[in-house]
Amino acid sequence: MLNWAKKTLADVAGTEEPIYGPSAIRSVAEDAKTTPYTELARNNLKWDVMTSTCVESQVFYFISDNGYIAFAQVIYSNVAGIRTTCQFNCKIMYPDGSKPHLWSSTPLHHHEFSKDKTSFYATDCAVELAEDGNSYTIKSMNDPQCIVNLKLTKTAPGFMAGKDGKSLFGTDLKHPWGSMRHAFWPRCTTEGTIMTKDGPIDFKGRGFFVHALQGMKPHHAAARWNFVNFQGPTYSAVMMEFTTPPSYGTTVVGVGGLAKEGEIITAGAITSAKHLKTKQDGENDWPEPTDVRFSWSGTTKDGKPAEASFEGSLGGRMDRIDVMAEVPGFVKKIVAGAAGTKPYIYQFAPKDGVDLKIRIGDQEIVERGVLFTEATFISAIE
């Protein structure tokens, strides 16, 4: 009875959930034991547009040939079925430190979706999936300091882990009360510009796309995140890993893949992210990573072992984001009342790139490429 009351309060107010233990989450890794991954069709790229509490987003990452890194993101958020809000975020990062990063976050008005729910529209904003399902155009004129006109075209198949990409949460997993899903385009080409007050920045280069759905309060689903995006001349390696709060047994769920032009080499629940060395952040006590090991270990379609890894220093952090200071008000409302919740995102992009070690069957490759990675801390897991 007490758990029921705690759960009800947690759903409405965002407070900490009771301890259900690891049996109250079904990781997508279980599904991936029999179906490692599923290639995405157009149908898999629909917005869910849930009518209950959720945060759903499409994020497009850009690594330009001239050294800039950026992302553009649409967020759809629903608070307890009472209020729906949409936001467009864009960030341009200058890894050489020549300028302060440009951050733009604007609320969107009069949002709607295409009939098949694969494209998103709002006043002065459109994120459209092409008819052939192979590219997105991202346009926003909501912020005169950051006018976005970009295109991202996949050059390798998209995928999701397991049959539907979902991890489920609940004490009765036939009727789950929450879910987490990720779908990826691991390797893309990019073109277009972002117009800033200093003029246009050309984003011809490489990219990555992820569609994410957190079908519950985000801080109830995850206490920690690791995100990895490696783009090299031939190979791409991507990863999204989260650790649940103790209420779901501090369970680690990781999905990702290794791809090259035209093919997925291996994908699914095959990833691992380890922080080998950390330093305490004096402002918030989070253990900021300084050295890491990211690894992928699976098999190719023809049964060969396929592995990739990066181990080493991240260099100095590129940015640290105090989420509660930056996020729009609607997210604050979701997180408000959650004791011990102090979300920070640490972003890294080692200036000279990194070496990804790859082994496919008997073949060994070392590829130099650009790494953009984030470590997110939301709440304590001890």
Side-chain angles (χ1 to χ4, degrees), residues 136-198:
Y136 277 96
T137 52
I138 305 101
K139 298 182 180 183
S140 172
M141 297 193 304
N142 279 278
D143 182 351
Q145 307 294 317
C146 184
I147 296 172
V148 176
N149 185 7
L150 296 167
K151 182 179 180 182
L152 181 141
T153 304
K154 69 175 179 182
T155 59
F159 72 89
M160 55 190 169
K163 291 190 281 292
D164 63 6
K166 281 188 179 178
S167 294
L168 303 176
F169 296 76
T171 47
D172 176 3
L173 290 168
K174 287 181 180 158
H175 303 94
W177 60 53
S179 63
M180 182 84 78
R181 174 184 181 266
H182 292 92
F184 305 98
W185 283 4
R187 189 168 178 84
C188 306
T189 56
T190 61
E191 58 189 283
T193 61
I194 300 176
M195 177 66 77
T196 72
K197 67 179 187 338
D198 298 323

Side-chain angles (χ1 to χ4, degrees), residues 8 14 27 29 66 76 84 105 133 143 156 174 197 234 242 257 273-274 286 291 303 315 339 353 358 371 375 379 382:
T8 305
S27 165
N66 50 20
Y76 168 95
T84 299
S105 183
D143 182 351
K174 287 181 180 158
K197 67 179 187 338
T234 311
F242 67 93
K274 301 291 182 199
W286 288 127
D291 291 66
I358 303 162
L371 174 70
S379 58
E382 286 82 26

Side-chain angles (χ1 to χ4, degrees), residues 1 5 34 48 68 86 139 184 206 209 271 281 287 295 322 343 360:
M1 182 65 185
T34 51
D48 267 67
Y68 300 101
C86 297
K139 298 182 180 183
F184 305 98
R206 291 190 291 274
F209 160 66
T271 64
D281 184 333
S295 54
D322 175 353
I360 303 165

Side-chain angles (χ1 to χ4, degrees), residues 319-333:
D319 205 1
R320 179 190 63 192
I321 300 159
D322 175 353
V323 175
M324 294 305 275
E326 296 283 2
V327 297
F330 70 85
V331 176
K332 288 191 176 111
K333 283 188 178 135

Side-chain angles (χ1 to χ4, degrees), residues 10-28:
D11 285 347
V12 175
T15 50
E16 196 175 324
E17 290 196 288
I19 301 292
Y20 305 112
S23 63
I25 177 172
R26 185 178 190 272
S27 165
V28 69

Side-chain angles (χ1 to χ4, degrees), residues 204-216:
K204 181 178 181 297
R206 291 190 291 274
F208 165 55
F209 160 66
V210 58
H211 187 146
L213 172 67
Q214 299 183 55
M216 58 198 295

Side-chain angles (χ1 to χ4, degrees), residues 241-258:
E241 181 193 274
F242 67 93
T243 303
T244 71
S247 43
Y248 297 100
T250 321
T251 301
V252 178
V253 180
V255 293
L258 178 67

